[in-house]
Amino acid sequence: TGIVQRVEPRVVRVELGKAIGILPASEQIPGEYYGIGTRIKVYLKDIDRENRGPQLILSRANEEFVEYLFRQEVPEMETGAVEIKAIAREAGKRTKLAVRSTVPGVDPVGTFVGGHGTRVNAVMNEIGDQEKIDIVTFDDDTKNFIANALSPAEIARIEVDENDKRARVFVTEDQQSIAIGRQGQNVRLASKLTGYE
């Protein structure tokens, strides 16, 4: 947690106790406003040791930031009862999380969503409610995982080429635009999440 110290065209400088970190434009959530003196959460992405002394590179747009926020809300992650297997994110627009449970009878998606959505809402309060969060069940079976990843679309069938890591997905006409998503976003994130084109 830091305090916004200076806002420049390309970077926001954030005071972190004894050090100052920079939040480059590429690591900011698009459309987010950073007021001087406001307290914000950031993820320490990198330490740039070039130039004059080390520079702390911060992020709010990376996948790890979302994982950290869920870790704060989901105590079952600490005990190992549930885990995040993969995250695909387009900051400010949409994030997909693949989650699974290691304990029989524990619903992984419900655990991350929380009662009445309290947990997922707490994360959305931090990253902004213009970013949608899809939480899907990870599956060791590739076809099932791809179908889950394309949620909320309903999938008719999937052909998988394991060697080329490619999948062909068939849907009914009324599900097509949902599967593809706005500007191809749903299929793009599902592809990133599963590792299949």
Side-chain angles (χ1 to χ4, degrees), residues 99-156:
V99 299
R100 79 155 166 201
S101 141
T102 56
V103 178
V106 171
D107 164 26
V109 173
T111 304
F112 279 86
V113 171
H116 303 297
T118 47
R119 292 173 171 184
V120 74
N121 286 343
V123 173
M124 283 171 77
N125 285 344
E126 181 59 52
I127 60 177
D129 46 17
Q130 76 283 0
E131 188 168 326
K132 277 204 174 78
I133 300 180
D134 297 345
I135 303 175
V136 304
T137 308
F138 174 81
D139 200 305
D140 287 316
D141 180 289
T142 304
K143 285 185 183 178
N144 290 346
F145 185 29
I146 291 170
N148 293 350
L150 284 162
S151 139
E154 288 167 25
I155 309 303

Side-chain angles (χ1 to χ4, degrees), residues 13 18-22 44 46-57:
R13 297 188 184 275
K18 290 183 177 158
I20 288 177
I22 61 168
L44 176 58
D46 210 357
I47 300 175
D48 179 5
R49 299 186 186 278
E50 311 291 303
N51 310 333
R52 317 178 295 271
Q55 193 53 292
L56 303 179
I57 312 295

